[in-house]
Amino acid sequence: MKKITLAIAVLALIASIATFFYSQEKSSLVYVDVNKLLEGYKRTKVVRAEFEKKAKLLKSNVDSLVTDWQKELKLYEKERSGYSKKELKLKQELLSNKQQQINNYQQAIQKQIQEEDKKSTQTVINDINDFVTEYGKSKGYKIIFGASGGGNIMYADKSADLTDTVLEGLNAEYEGK
């Protein structure tokens, strides 16, 4: 009888140890919603505001050049009947060259705006990645998945969602708390 009790006790001990390790393994698989982190991170708002301000200034420079060119064009159309053929040709070439320069400048500005947007977004993403890496190490997680709505995590139990906790820590770190 004692052998049966001992065998049952040993089996129970093995089962509880296996359950412990199984539950430990299962709880180390967690995720964060990347979109929520990007939207909720306070630095994202600051970086976006700076980017928008810069982009608006660059666009206003282009707009003022276009407005000046349009004024010159209207003046040309108004006064062209008084020009000689040589003056007409010269004025048309000048207006055409100026329009081409404005178009080239506009394309360069668009490219610069796109690069600035990419650069500022990458800065925020790097912050988030660095924080999540350190957070995962400090909490002993083996893997923290990033869900972005693109289908890489189709289902996860809410208890595995660290988004709010990570976002809180990320913002606290950003604010220097």
Side-chain angles (χ1 to χ4, degrees):
M1 191 73 161
K2 289 184 179 184
K3 286 185 177 183
I4 293 175
T5 309
L6 181 61
I8 292 174
V10 169
L11 285 174
L13 180 62
I14 291 171
S16 47
I17 290 172
T19 304
F20 173 76
F21 283 111
Y22 176 74
S23 66
Q24 285 296 94
E25 185 67 31
K26 193 172 183 183
S27 68
S28 67
L29 299 177
V30 293
Y31 74 97
V32 292
D33 183 327
V34 177
N35 293 332
K36 261 183 164 178
L37 289 179
L38 278 170
E39 291 301 315
Y41 184 28
K42 292 180 181 178
R43 184 168 185 204
T44 302
K45 293 171 181 74
V46 171
V47 168
R48 278 188 187 159
E50 290 170 358
F51 167 74
E52 290 297 327
K53 184 178 176 182
K54 192 172 190 176
K56 188 176 179 179
L57 177 65
L58 292 170
K59 287 177 183 178
S60 70
N61 290 342
V62 171
D63 291 345
S64 64
L65 288 173
V66 169
T67 301
D68 290 347
W69 180 82
Q70 287 173 338
K71 286 178 185 176
E72 284 185 46
L73 183 63
K74 285 181 184 179
L75 182 64
Y76 162 76
E77 289 173 353
K78 183 178 176 183
E79 296 177 351
R80 76 181 187 181
S81 59
Y83 294 144
S84 68
K85 283 187 177 186
K86 188 175 183 180
E87 290 174 321
L88 277 173
K89 185 177 179 185
L90 181 62
K91 195 69 170 168
Q92 287 171 347
E93 284 179 18
L94 288 172
L95 286 169
S96 178
N97 287 341
K98 191 169 188 176
Q99 181 182 24
Q100 186 60 46
Q101 288 174 344
I102 290 171
N103 288 342
N104 291 343
Y105 181 69
Q106 195 170 25
Q107 288 173 356
I109 293 299
Q110 285 291 19
K111 185 177 179 182
Q112 182 180 351
I113 288 171
Q114 288 172 349
E115 288 172 3
E116 288 287 330
D117 185 30
K118 186 177 178 181
K119 183 177 159 185
S120 62
T121 301
Q122 191 60 50
T123 299
V124 171
I125 289 171
N126 289 345
D127 276 3
I128 292 171
N129 288 342
D130 291 346
F131 183 83
V132 169
T133 298
E134 290 306 312
Y135 181 86
K137 285 179 184 177
S138 71
K139 299 296 181 181
Y141 292 111
K142 293 181 181 179
I143 295 176
I144 298 179
F145 292 101
S148 62
N152 51 357
I153 295 179
M154 298 299 289
Y155 169 77
D157 189 88
K158 273 298 203 188
S159 65
D161 185 356
L162 296 178
T163 305
D164 293 336
T165 306
V166 168
L167 185 57
E168 190 177 300
L170 186 63
N171 283 326
E173 181 180 271
Y174 174 69
E175 292 175 335
K177 293 181 181 176

